[in-house]
Amino acid sequence: MDREVKEAFIKSKSKDKQVSYEAYLYILQATEKRVDWAYEVWDDLLDGLTDKDNHQRSRSAQYLANLAKSDPENRMLTDLPRLWEVTRDEKFVTARHSLQSIWKVGLSGAEQNDRLMEYIWSIDLKTGQMKKIIR
C-alpha cells in the first residue's frame, strides 16, 4: 500500500469533517479497481463495521464492498454476514449507504453473488425482517 492510501485511511477517521470526507472520496476512488493491499486494512474495516460512530460503520462497509474484488482468499464469503448487518443499521443513512454499495460484492465472484442473493431474497418485504438463512 502506498503512502497516500495509508494517510487517507488515517485521515478518514479525523474529527475534521472536510479532511475525513476528502479521505473518504480518495479511498473510494482507490478501491474502484483491484488492489494488492486489501488485506492490510481488511481486519480494521471489519472492526469498523461495529464502530460507535455511524460514519465509520458506513465507510467501513463501503470500503469492504469495494475491496471484494481484491479478495483472492475469498474472505468475503465468511465476512459477508458482518457486512450485511450494517445494511440493517439503526441509523437509516448508514444502512442506506451500505446497502447501496453491497451489490459490488456480487460482482466479485459467482459464489459471492450466490451468497449475497441468499441475503437479499431472505428479506421479508412486508416486515423488512430477515428470514433465517439455513446453510
Side-chain angles (χ1 to χ4, degrees), residues 28-108:
L28 286 181
Q29 180 184 15
T31 56
E32 282 181 6
K33 59 188 181 319
R34 287 181 190 216
V35 298
D36 61 0
W37 47 261
Y39 298 136
E40 293 180 48
V41 294
W42 195 275
D43 291 335
D44 290 337
L45 294 175
L46 286 175
D47 290 342
L49 297 175
T50 57
D51 195 284
K52 63 182 180 185
D53 180 351
N54 70 298
H55 293 95
Q56 291 305 317
R57 293 192 305 272
S58 173
R59 291 174 181 189
S60 292
Q62 291 173 71
Y63 300 155
L64 279 169
N66 275 13
L67 289 172
K69 66 179 140 306
S70 301
D71 178 25
E73 296 174 12
N74 293 323
R75 291 184 188 183
M76 186 55 74
L77 294 172
T78 303
D79 297 331
L80 184 58
R82 293 174 67 182
L83 178 58
W84 184 260
E85 274 305 305
V86 185
T87 68
R88 301 160 35 102
D89 197 272
E90 63 191 40
K91 297 278 191 177
F92 174 77
V93 69
T94 303
R96 180 172 53 106
H97 285 155
S98 61
L99 192 55
Q100 287 174 327
S101 63
I102 204 164
W103 62 270
K104 297 173 185 178
V105 172
L107 297 181
S108 64

Side-chain angles (χ1 to χ4, degrees), residues 15-16 27 29 39 42 50 60 72 101 114 119 124 126:
K15 299 298 180 200
D16 181 320
I27 294 167
Q29 180 184 15
Y39 298 136
W42 195 275
T50 57
S60 292
S101 63
D114 291 347
Y119 279 92
D124 183 323
K126 289 182 182 175

Side-chain angles (χ1 to χ4, degrees), residues 80 84 87 99 102-106 112-125 128-131 133:
L80 184 58
W84 184 260
T87 68
L99 192 55
I102 204 164
W103 62 270
K104 297 173 185 178
V105 172
Q112 291 86 339
N113 183 49
D114 291 347
R115 188 77 50 89
L116 179 60
M117 292 308 295
E118 286 179 18
Y119 279 92
I120 292 171
W121 287 113
S122 72
I123 299 170
D124 183 323
L125 296 178
Q129 299 297 311
M130 283 186 65
K131 301 170 193 164
I133 296 176

